[in-house]
Amino acid sequence: MSEPVRFLTSFAQSVATMALYGPSHPARQRAVDGAYRILRDLQVHDAKPEFSFLGDEVVYGALPLREMRDWEWAARLAAAGVQRREF
């Protein structure tokens, strides 16, 4: 699994965990810490990673992430008006 895909998967798990558990639940902190750690790993190679969500397509920088095609979170983010994330 590529680092961008690994990060997006962890990010989605973190968001889902945040929605599932209350603010003081330890699973929330673990999920956020895990996503942050993976983001920092990604930033070793790309200091400012950029993701775009175009319907069912996910683009990392200028590269489409084929393995993320039809990723349900891309559609959710796009529907919420999130078309681009920069970290």
Side-chain angles (χ1 to χ4, degrees), residues 41-85:
D41 290 346
L42 177 60
Q43 287 177 318
V44 168
H45 306 288
D46 181 357
K48 198 172 180 181
E50 300 174 4
F51 296 93
S52 298
F53 307 103
L54 310 168
D56 63 353
E57 291 284 335
V58 178
V59 179
Y60 170 63
L63 302 172
L65 296 177
R66 302 281 184 228
E67 60 265 50
M68 300 299 284
R69 187 166 183 77
D70 296 325
W71 182 52
E72 77 173 280
W73 280 91
R76 287 182 181 189
L77 291 168
V82 178
Q83 295 177 341
R84 183 180 178 136
R85 294 291 335 148

Side-chain angles (χ1 to χ4, degrees), residues 13-59:
Q13 289 171 343
S14 179
V15 171
T17 300
M18 299 286 280
L20 186 61
Y21 296 107
S24 62
H25 198 283
R28 286 175 65 123
Q29 190 63 45
R30 282 193 306 269
V32 170
D33 289 346
Y36 182 72
R37 189 173 48 256
I38 293 169
L39 173 61
R40 297 299 293 164
D41 290 346
L42 177 60
Q43 287 177 318
V44 168
H45 306 288
D46 181 357
K48 198 172 180 181
E50 300 174 4
F51 296 93
S52 298
F53 307 103
L54 310 168
D56 63 353
E57 291 284 335
V58 178
V59 179

